């Protein structure tokens, strides 16, 4: 297994204007990380993409995944076609960045779109994108996120319905808690179709503490923490993945309430310790 860090980990600093993609790569170099996950929401232009590719080469870093925010749960066919085109553009950029992984979503729930219609759109969307992904050698990794693909069984249903080796799961270890699933059990249930992992930690709150928190479907509050300081049994997850023969990336996605740069660095050290133990 290989360590990666997602730029989403420092998204608060980006949106404050303190760190751009170039700055994130500099941080990754300081952290002695060899692979980074990049997101389309942080790129401001195609020229910036070209610049980042050059910097990555100079620093000797690889891109573990390119992540986009597609949403196939839309009202009409034209909107769906736009989302399909957006995913195909993401595939092209993933190729350009030199990664084989494109993180994708299913879609967000809408009050005027039924669950059945949403699922049908998602299936149509991925079926339309899979041939292009196969042609370009890109694996779309579907994250467990939201109503339509939040649980392990829903992720598996979509992937098995499509039936292509170019659509796999991106197991987000924290998100499972938000749909009342045990992350260890969910990873175990998906282990044969996982292509990427978001390595994340959340801690259950007994009551609100005035700081940013995530609400599970039953109203339970969870707060992001540095890796290893929350409720997710991450070492067990690594063990399951290792026994399943997974050799892909564990991409740290810090979503805590502290200093994102400091606590992402702590998370990296924690994961390095886990991987070093396995290699002894």
């Amino acid at each position: 297994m290989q360590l990666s860090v997602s730029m989403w980990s420092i998204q608060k600093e980006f949106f404050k204007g303190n760190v751009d993609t170039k700055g994130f790569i500099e941080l990754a170099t300081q952290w002695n990380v060899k692979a980074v996950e990049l997101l389309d929401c942080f790129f401001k232009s195609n020229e910036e993409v070209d610049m980042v590719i050059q910097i990555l080469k100079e620093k000797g870093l690889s891109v573990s995944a390119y992540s986009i925010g597609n949403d196939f749960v839309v009202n009409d066919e034209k909107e769906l076609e736009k989302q399909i085109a957006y995913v195909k553009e993401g595939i092209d950029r993933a190729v350009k960045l030199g990664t084989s992984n494109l993180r994708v979503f299913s879609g967000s729930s809408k009050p005027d779109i039924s669950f059945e219609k949403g699922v049908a759109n998602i299936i149509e969307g991925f079926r339309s994108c899979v041939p292009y992904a196969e042609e370009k050698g890109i694996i779309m990794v579907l994250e467990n996120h939201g109503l339509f693909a939040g649980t392990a069984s829903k992720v598996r249903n979509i992937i098995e319905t499509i039936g292509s080796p170019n659509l796999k799961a991106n197991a987000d270890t924290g998100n499972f808690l938000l749909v009342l699933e045990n992350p260890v059990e969910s990873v175990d249930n998906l282990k044969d179709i996982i292509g990427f992992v978001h390595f994340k930690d959340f801690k259950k709150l007994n009551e609100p503490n005035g700081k940013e928190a995530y609400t599970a479907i039953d109203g339970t509050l969870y707060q992001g923490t540095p890796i290893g300081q929350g409720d997710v049994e991450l070492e067990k997850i690594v063990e399951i993945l290792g026994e399943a023969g997974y050799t892909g990336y564990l991409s740290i996605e810090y979503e805590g309430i502290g200093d994102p740069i400091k606590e992402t660095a702590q998370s990296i050290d924690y994961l390095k310790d886990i991987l070093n133990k396995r290699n002894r």
Side-chain angles (χ1 to χ4, degrees), residues 133-148:
E134 291 173 346
E135 176 189 338
K136 297 295 183 176
I138 295 296
I139 297 172
M140 296 180 292
V141 287
L142 173 61
E143 183 164 338
N144 50 297
H145 183 273
L147 173 67
F148 295 95

Side-chain angles (χ1 to χ4, degrees), residues 111-266:
D112 57 340
I113 301 178
S114 69
F115 182 81
E116 291 74 18
K117 173 62 175 173
V119 171
N121 275 13
I122 292 163
I123 298 303
E124 182 180 346
F126 281 126
R127 277 186 173 148
S128 298
C129 295
V130 154
Y132 196 65
E134 291 173 346
E135 176 189 338
K136 297 295 183 176
I138 295 296
I139 297 172
M140 296 180 292
V141 287
L142 173 61
E143 183 164 338
N144 50 297
H145 183 273
L147 173 67
F148 295 95
T151 65
S153 62
K154 288 179 179 177
V155 171
R156 178 174 288 280
N157 180 63
I158 293 169
I159 290 172
E160 290 184 347
T161 299
I162 299 302
S164 168
N166 289 71
L167 180 62
K168 294 185 177 181
N170 171 38
D172 185 300
T173 58
N175 286 357
F176 288 118
L177 290 171
L178 303 181
V179 292
L180 315 184
E181 289 196 341
N182 181 315
V184 173
E185 294 176 0
S186 295
V187 169
D188 191 45
N189 289 338
L190 291 173
K191 61 188 176 185
D192 59 312
I193 54 172
I194 289 176
F196 199 72
V197 175
H198 271 165
F199 215 62
K200 181 192 297 180
D201 212 350
F202 284 160
K203 189 173 187 63
K204 181 180 177 180
L205 296 181
N206 293 322
E207 58 184 29
N209 59 11
K211 298 180 180 179
E212 182 182 9
Y214 298 89
T215 305
I217 58 174
D218 67 345
T220 300
L221 295 178
Y222 286 93
Q223 208 152 59
T225 71
I227 302 301
Q229 295 185 24
D231 298 335
V232 183
E233 297 177 284
L234 292 164
E235 289 199 54
K236 285 188 178 180
I237 287 173
V238 172
E239 183 179 344
I240 287 169
L241 291 169
E243 290 175 354
Y246 179 74
T247 58
Y249 287 100
L250 305 175
S251 190
I252 291 170
E253 191 182 53
Y254 168 80
E255 290 187 339
I257 58 174
D259 180 332
I261 294 175
K262 178 182 177 181
E263 296 198 345
T264 297
Q266 292 175 4

Side-chain angles (χ1 to χ4, degrees), residues 26-57:
E26 293 290 345
L27 284 170
T29 302
Q30 295 172 23
W31 293 329
N32 197 27
V33 169
K34 301 302 181 184
V36 292
E37 178 186 349
L38 302 179
L39 292 83
D40 67 339
C41 62
F42 297 133
F43 281 119
K44 300 171 184 175
S45 66
N46 289 327
E47 290 74 22
E48 185 182 15
V49 174
D50 293 335
M51 177 193 71
V52 164
I53 290 171
Q54 184 58 40
I55 294 172
L56 289 167
K57 288 180 181 177

